[in-house]
Amino acid sequence: MPSATEGRETGTGRRGRAPWLVRRWPTMLGVATGAYIVSDMTEGSEAALVLVVAALGYIATAVLDRQGLIWAVVAAEMVAVVVLRVVDVDPVPVLAVVAVALALLGAVRHRWGPSRFERLYPWFTALFLVAGLVGAYADPVLAATIVGTALIGHAVWDAVHWHEDAVVSRAFAEWCGTLDLLLGVGVLVIVLG
């Protein structure tokens, strides 16, 4: 029979669980955020904005070349979304144009190379932007199917960022990946259910 000390050392005792939960705070936050967004959806296409925000946030952080800034970048995007909605402007095309401008700035600054990961960066950004734009304006069923699938794809992209410890902080990649996966599955359940 293992002692209480052994349980704590291996993480199986009561005290051993708290540090795991503390380390997985981005996952817990992603689950909470995703559950909240899914609970408020009616068609699923509403999640298109999440794709555009993610694409812009990642490309902006890549151009700035500062992993830790991603939280501030996304916070600024959320403020911009609120302001744009208050003045009755659709935030999706505005954020998409900013993302394209930043991708071009990254090209001018020679940010997209030499690694394969960096060379692919603007192309993946474009893919998620197009999915977000189609998802925002297409027929609801088609839009939600594209958005749900693209969100799951972005969760994979988040996992690559987490594994490579590149562009965004690992905590953000973990949070975003959890959110994207939950949201993508939720959107597809709404559409196909």
Side-chain angles (χ1 to χ4, degrees), residues 18-144:
W20 182 87
L21 286 174
V22 170
R23 286 191 312 270
R24 295 286 65 93
W25 70 265
T27 298
M28 302 305 164
L29 183 60
V31 168
T33 309
Y36 175 76
I37 294 171
V38 168
S39 72
D40 197 37
M41 285 192 307
T42 56
E43 295 179 341
S45 60
E46 305 99 316
L49 179 61
V50 174
L51 278 171
V52 176
V53 165
L56 173 55
Y58 278 51
I59 201 82
T61 308
V63 169
L64 294 169
D65 198 19
R66 302 270 312 270
Q67 283 181 297
L69 285 181
I70 185 64
W71 295 102
V73 167
V74 170
E77 285 183 90
M78 293 295 92
V79 170
V81 166
V82 170
V83 169
L84 289 168
R85 285 186 170 162
V86 166
V87 297
D88 204 26
V89 174
D90 184 356
V92 170
V94 173
L95 298 179
V97 167
V98 173
V100 170
L102 286 172
L104 293 173
L105 177 63
V108 169
R109 292 180 58 198
H110 304 288
R111 181 67 183 99
W112 313 130
S115 76
R116 183 173 176 216
F117 180 75
E118 290 173 335
R119 282 194 312 269
L120 291 174
Y121 219 84
W123 300 108
F124 274 98
T125 297
L127 177 69
F128 294 121
L129 279 175
V130 168
L133 287 166
V134 170
Y137 304 112
D139 168 75
V141 174
L142 174 63

Side-chain angles (χ1 to χ4, degrees), residues 4 7-23:
R8 269 185 257 126
E9 289 171 2
T10 63
T12 59
R14 181 177 288 199
R15 289 186 179 183
R17 290 184 205 155
W20 182 87
L21 286 174
V22 170
R23 286 191 312 270

